[in-house]
Amino acid sequence: MKEIILTGDRPTGNLHLGHYVGSVQNRVALQNTDFDKFYIMIADTQALTDNFNNVDKVKNNIIQVAMDYISAGIDINKVNIFIQSQVPELFEMTSYFLNLVTVSRLQRNPTIKEELKQRDFVKSIPVGFLTYPVSQAADILAFKTTLVPVGEDQLPMVEQTREVLQSFNNTYKPQNPIFNTPKAFLNENKICQRLPGLDGKIKMSKSAGNAIYLCDDEKTIKEKVMSAYTDPDHIRVSDPGKIEGNIVFAYLDAFAKEEHFKKYLPDYRNLDELKAHYRKGGLGDVKVKLFLNNILQELLAPIREKKLELEKNVNDIYNLLFENSLKASLVAKATLEEMKEAMGLNYLKLLK
Ligand code: ATP
Ligand code: MG
């Protein structure tokens, strides 16, 4: 069976390097495979669950995220990029699925736990926020998704989706299977599954202000790279340095290729050699940071330039998003009909 691919991002800011390695790179690779359908959802309604008092931020970032996708290589002829709120069937599905999940199950979700802490929601949890994994299950199941390219923080959400699916099947026993069982699709490179933020504390995230954005300008990228957390005990160049927890090396693990060494740092053949020198002592942070800066500038310059070009025609992109949302809505509607049939909610059949 060919894959039905669905993934998405919350329009809470521009896309950053974490999105790029965690999910966007895989999406670009997957769009060149022989898939059945490919959707990317801009999750505005989900973003409102922790930004309900900042609607403008969510609204204005829809176009930013859409432009980021296209500038980073998503092909709009192959992939349907749509807006979650424009597919109302998803919310009707969510209502039915909410009955199949307990509050304690949601409170045990490790990503939710971490996000509650970050957002200071621990004492007073908005119901919408706590239940967003159920709404996300609806997003995934509505399109009969088989594959979800995501970062590691989304694994509990995909797991939750499979539980909702099982519970639906056990409860309503549809005659024919309605949904496919979705699998998460992670980057093979471990560090890319959860790219840490510049501060070295938590994952790179729009909400944490610790990100390098795909559209950052040259100067900002350099400033951010130079500010990245390294080894606080590596004070003099001659000191031995630690690689573990060192964000500059984490980013090199994610982005450095042998060709970069040939081009920008020919004294070393590869990252292992550079790490060995750093561990031994005699290699300063500035040299390593300037190397990383070269790599990131080379990666991000074409993405930034493409975005500047796209900004001239935002109406075309909005129109595309609205048209795509209508198409997505038809697909979700068909699935919803199947669900309601299985649940016995086909009231029209009461008419004699
Ligand atoms: P927010 O702070 O608003 O939650 P975010 O930066 O976490 O934003 P999301 O829109 O929640 O971004 O995530 C979209 C996708 O990007 C998900 O698949 C998520 O796993 C992935 N992703 C986000 N941050 C990272 C990261 N640091 N490393 C790898 N993947 C990431
Ligand atoms: Mg997030």
Side-chain angles (χ1 to χ4, degrees):
M1 198 179 95
K2 290 184 185 177
E3 303 286 3
I4 301 176
I5 306 162
L6 179 131
T7 184
D9 304 276
R10 297 150 34 96
T12 48
N14 295 304
L15 294 190
H16 52 63
L17 290 177
H19 298 115
Y20 187 77
V21 293
S23 164
V24 176
Q25 255 182 346
N26 271 345
R27 301 176 196 181
V28 172
L30 282 169
Q31 75 184 357
N32 296 322
T33 62
D34 187 20
F35 59 82
D36 180 1
K37 296 197 185 75
F38 198 152
Y39 302 95
I40 300 182
M41 188 186 79
I42 304 181
D44 57 338
T45 313
Q46 186 185 120
L48 286 173
T49 62
D50 55 339
N51 291 279
F52 47 86
N53 51 2
N54 207 346
V55 178
D56 276 351
K57 170 172 138 189
V58 172
K59 188 171 70 183
N60 297 335
N61 275 305
I62 291 175
I63 191 74
Q64 296 303 326
V65 169
M67 289 192 293
D68 280 339
Y69 292 149
I70 304 170
S71 348
I74 297 295
D75 182 348
I76 52 171
N77 296 309
K78 294 183 175 173
V79 179
N80 175 325
I81 306 173
F82 70 92
I83 306 172
Q84 184 187 24
S85 64
Q86 303 306 299
V87 182
E89 292 77 13
L90 298 174
F91 309 107
E92 188 173 347
M93 278 186 195
T94 303
S95 306
Y96 302 131
F97 288 150
L98 279 169
N99 300 329
L100 306 174
V101 181
T102 64
V103 172
S104 63
R105 174 66 185 89
L106 292 169
Q107 284 171 328
R108 279 200 309 276
N109 180 315
T111 301
I112 291 285
K113 272 192 190 165
E114 191 181 318
E115 290 178 342
L116 286 174
K117 262 190 248 150
Q118 268 172 36
R119 285 158 181 75
D120 209 14
F121 277 166
V122 179
K123 284 206 194 88
S124 158
I125 311 176
V127 176
F129 188 80
L130 183 68
T131 56
Y132 90 71
V134 184
S135 145
Q136 200 166 322
D139 305 332
I140 295 173
L141 294 174
F143 298 93
K144 309 194 177 190
T145 306
T146 58
L147 205 61
V148 193
V150 278
E152 191 196 53
D153 65 310
Q154 294 301 306
L155 291 179
M157 308 308 172
V158 179
E159 182 58 33
Q160 179 75 73
T161 304
R162 286 197 290 259
E163 284 177 31
V164 166
L165 158 60
Q166 270 210 328
S167 177
F168 184 91
N169 286 345
N170 292 341
T171 311
Y172 301 113
K173 303 187 174 47
Q175 278 180 342
N176 300 307
I178 302 176
F179 311 109
N180 289 314
T181 304
K183 271 195 318 276
F185 186 67
L186 296 174
N187 192 313
E188 286 169 1
N189 185 348
K190 187 92 182 112
I191 193 75
C192 296
Q193 297 173 6
R194 190 185 189 85
L195 196 74
L198 285 162
D199 52 5
K201 288 188 187 134
I202 49 173
K203 88 169 179 77
M204 185 177 283
S205 156
K206 289 177 243 122
S207 305
N210 61 0
I212 296 180
Y213 294 98
L214 299 187
C215 58
D216 274 345
D217 62 32
E218 197 178 334
K219 185 165 164 274
T220 309
I221 296 169
K222 187 165 180 192
E223 277 167 12
K224 288 183 177 174
V225 169
M226 298 319 275
S227 77
Y229 181 84
T230 57
D231 170 7
D233 300 325
H234 183 244
I235 295 159
R236 283 176 304 261
V237 172
S238 56
D239 290 340
K242 265 204 302 293
I243 304 291
E244 296 69 32
N246 186 318
I247 295 306
V248 177
F249 279 98
Y251 293 172
L252 288 176
D253 274 328
F255 295 101
K257 301 197 186 98
E258 291 204 4
E259 69 211 45
H260 292 131
F261 283 91
K262 284 202 192 89
K263 200 163 165 188
Y264 301 118
L265 207 58
D267 291 349
Y268 305 84
R269 263 178 310 173
N270 53 40
L271 192 51
D272 288 340
E273 284 188 13
L274 190 73
K275 284 181 180 173
H277 191 187
Y278 191 80
R279 283 201 174 99
K280 197 165 108 229
L283 174 58
D285 280 343
V286 171
K287 187 164 175 179
V288 189
K289 283 178 167 174
L290 288 175
F291 176 49
L292 174 65
N293 177 57
N294 280 327
I295 296 173
L296 294 182
Q297 299 287 358
E298 181 181 319
L299 171 74
L300 296 176
I303 299 178
R304 181 174 61 237
E305 280 155 26
K306 179 89 203 269
K307 189 170 185 182
L308 287 174
E309 229 177 85
L310 291 172
E311 276 169 5
K312 295 180 194 149
N313 287 313
V314 286
N315 274 349
D316 291 352
I317 301 174
Y318 274 123
N319 280 327
L320 176 78
L321 297 179
F322 292 133
E323 275 168 33
N324 283 347
S325 302
L326 283 178
K327 289 183 196 156
S329 177
L330 291 177
V331 178
K333 190 171 167 43
T335 310
L336 182 61
E337 290 305 322
E338 286 181 75
M339 270 176 68
K340 287 164 84 169
E341 183 73 33
M343 294 170 74
L345 283 174
N346 41 2
Y347 291 131
L348 280 181
K349 289 202 172 158
L350 293 174
L351 292 173
K352 295 280 185 242

